[in-house]
Amino acid sequence: MCGIVGIISTRPVSARLLEGLKRLEYRGYDSAGIAVFNGQGIKRCRAAGKIVNLQSALQESPIEGTCGIAHTRWATHGRPTRTNAHPHQTSQVAIVHNGIIENHKALREELIDQGHVFATQTDSEVIAHLIQHHLDKGLGETDAFQASIDKLEGAYAVAALIGTHSQTLYAARHGSPLVIGFGTDEMFVGSDAFALAPFTQKVLYLEEGDSAIVNIDNVTIKDKAGAPVTRDILTAKISAVMAEKGNYRHFMEKEIHEQPESLARTVAAYIDPDTHLPLLDDAGPLLQNADRLVAIACGTAFYAASVAKYWFEQYADIHVETDIASEFRYRHPALAKNGTALFISQSGETADTLAALRYCKRAGLGTIGIVNAPESSIARETNTNLHTLAGPEIGVASTKAFTAQLAVLALGAIGSAHLRKTISDDEAKAHIEALEHLPTLCKAALETEQQCASIAPTLAQASQTLFLGRGAYFPLALEGALKLKEVTYLHAEGYAAGELKHGPIALIEEGTPVVIIAPNDALIEKTISNVEEIAARGAHVIAITDKACASHFEGQARHTICLPDLPGLTGPIISAIPLQFLAYYTALKRGTNMDQPRNLAKSVTVE
Ligand code: G6P
């Protein structure tokens, strides 16, 4: 995680470094800092906590210069204190780093033996000392930077100031993204093009192993073998406008309410308006001809993948394996020779998902990205993409991106079933028609808001909540529990309702809240039996169901959240909405920061 910005200009840079940092706060908000050349050398300012704290510190003790670097941190090594905040500095060097330096202990010991004194517990500080060490040995700035980068093992995006009166930024990447931006009489470095969007749309993405020397009017790049290279300069299509909360109290609340529009946009992009059949473009053949699919993701996106398994297997008759990216990449998976891999990611930058993608590419699989950030690393490295059109998602806990992922996967499953002829034209059209109703169904589901708000105090005072579902609603139960944990810091467990008797039923005592997700489907009778079992043991049952089944829960559930009837594949997508409201209102009741929960980050760019 962590976000990096650097600017070299003819004008002062501090305010703009801060502006860039605010756009990177989704990567971490444990501490922040900036360093600039101010004519006498490198001056820095740092603060623990969110970027507003750095802003206040800078107001009290301003620092200014025309060349600087900045950082927002998600702590990996060392607590999130001001001391451990980046930039890390020696007498002639300041660096900011995103990633993990795996050999930092060995390097630190060597440097300590040579007299270096470390100020922090971070892995990153070793980079500043290494560069200083090479300067002390007599190497010039460029050689000192390159010699130091060559010694690093692990993942890094680094930006550095070196020297005393320098007008140069040094940058390198390996495993963590870094973008160079081109302005008029100024140049930029950033973790992503979004950070640079207020300053320039002209960007160049450094490739793995690249290092760059950025001057005010040019950049010189070397590849991992040390050979000079040029990289394409692109026009980023990223809006400079920062998402605002509007009339909502929180981004999470706003983003939950945006789902009718985000679903409408996403669904419309993949349906042929004339034939009412799915439009999958280049992804079509990859889904049609594959012997097997593997769907890989992290967090909420993994639960979207898990729902998709039910859909692809049932309708397209294709075997789907799902895997958490951090497990997949290291477990030597047996892959189908003619397989296709799906990578689901809101940010498109999740380190483990990206590593899994590279693994699959090396293994020769076809790769499809289902990504919300169209210019992200995953979107750029897959063979083709079925983008989710949820728009920028700011709340750390995913809401509208999740339902957009589900919508794309539903269209992909029906599209693939149609291409593979496991469903007829008429069946495909009926499914598509149901999916076209998603925005309307979603609006109706948003009407459960006040009821969910009234249930939240029960969840807020419980020590644990259980979420249960069967079939495609089982991953929804996992997602409901994750959402509650993330934003309320309360314990929650998601379980397959059929597994109840194999353990979780022991957790139930008088008043334990159990959220059961059970709109009408082929398994509803079995789920109702489960509800009877838990109600008999004193559980406080909260049923999320639909009109067709609401009456079944009478006498068993303390609350029945009734959704409209949910045709075709719409059920798991629409059922997510009351789960999001339950988490949001429970967080509101507990006073937690649901937009930026403690210890979490929106984009997990380290493994
Ligand atoms: C973090 C976020 C989650 C997200 C997960 C995967 O944990 O807090 O909301 O689901 O990363 O992120 P991705 O960007 O790959 O969807």
Side-chain angles (χ1 to χ4, degrees), residues 548-560:
C549 289
S551 62
H552 294 300
F553 293 95
E554 272 168 25
Q556 308 292 344
R558 301 265 195 106
H559 310 275
T560 303

Side-chain angles (χ1 to χ4, degrees), residues 123-205:
D123 56 327
S124 312
E125 190 186 359
V126 79
I127 305 170
H129 284 276
L130 261 182
I131 300 172
Q132 184 66 52
H133 162 78
H134 285 111
L135 290 175
D136 295 345
K137 274 176 54 182
L139 266 61
E141 292 169 3
T142 304
D143 290 342
F145 179 71
Q146 194 58 55
S148 305
I149 292 299
D150 290 346
K151 282 192 159 282
L152 303 179
E153 288 168 17
Y156 52 82
V158 177
L161 304 178
I162 309 176
T164 46
H165 302 287
S166 179
Q167 275 289 302
T168 303
L169 286 172
Y170 296 86
R173 76 155 282 190
H174 177 77
S176 302
L178 209 53
V179 177
I180 308 287
F182 296 76
T184 308
D185 292 334
E186 49 190 9
M187 296 281 283
F188 306 87
V189 173
S191 289
D192 62 21
F194 181 69
L196 306 185
F199 320 129
T200 182
Q201 304 284 320
K202 257 172 81 181
V203 296
L204 161 166
Y205 289 92

Side-chain angles (χ1 to χ4, degrees), residues 298-301 345-347 350 396-398 486 601-602 604:
C298 297
T300 290
S345 174
Q346 188 288 127
S347 64
T350 301
V396 164
S398 189
E486 282 179 305
K602 182 88 190 134
V604 180

Side-chain angles (χ1 to χ4, degrees), residues 430-551:
H431 277 296
I432 294 302
E433 199 182 316
L435 292 168
E436 282 175 324
H437 280 114
L438 277 172
T440 318
L441 295 168
C442 185
K443 275 188 196 145
L446 290 175
E447 286 170 17
T448 65
E449 179 166 13
Q450 283 321 311
Q451 191 185 6
C452 293
S454 73
I455 297 167
T458 303
L459 304 189
Q461 64 180 17
S463 57
Q464 57 164 346
T465 297
L466 205 57
F467 289 77
L468 300 176
R470 277 178 184 262
Y473 295 104
F474 164 40
L476 260 287
L478 297 171
E479 167 61 7
L482 176 65
K483 206 92 300 164
L484 194 74
K485 278 186 276 208
E486 282 179 305
V487 301
T488 70
Y489 318 148
L490 289 169
H491 184 67
E493 285 246 27
Y495 248 96
E499 274 286 289
L500 194 62
K501 295 187 202 64
H502 300 287
I505 200 161
L507 294 171
I508 291 173
E509 50 192 39
E510 197 59 40
T512 304
V514 180
V515 179
I516 181 115
I517 307 142
N520 195 15
D521 68 1
L523 301 170
I524 188 73
E525 295 299 338
K526 293 185 189 303
T527 312
I528 288 164
S529 299
N530 294 135
V531 171
E532 285 172 11
E533 288 158 8
I534 51 174
R537 287 165 174 82
H540 185 117
V541 176
I542 299 149
I544 297 176
T545 184
D546 56 11
K547 278 194 188 143
C549 289
S551 62

Side-chain angles (χ1 to χ4, degrees), residues 87-156:
H88 297 299
Q89 195 175 358
T90 62
S91 59
Q92 290 172 287
V93 179
I95 67 98
V96 287
H97 167 226
N98 166 213
I100 293 178
I101 305 302
E102 287 169 0
N103 59 339
H104 76 102
K105 276 196 185 133
L107 292 172
R108 181 187 266 252
E109 277 162 22
E110 273 175 41
L111 288 159
I112 289 173
D113 286 347
Q114 286 162 18
H116 285 256
V117 178
F118 280 73
T120 80
Q121 291 87 50
T122 66
D123 56 327
S124 312
E125 190 186 359
V126 79
I127 305 170
H129 284 276
L130 261 182
I131 300 172
Q132 184 66 52
H133 162 78
H134 285 111
L135 290 175
D136 295 345
K137 274 176 54 182
L139 266 61
E141 292 169 3
T142 304
D143 290 342
F145 179 71
Q146 194 58 55
S148 305
I149 292 299
D150 290 346
K151 282 192 159 282
L152 303 179
E153 288 168 17
Y156 52 82

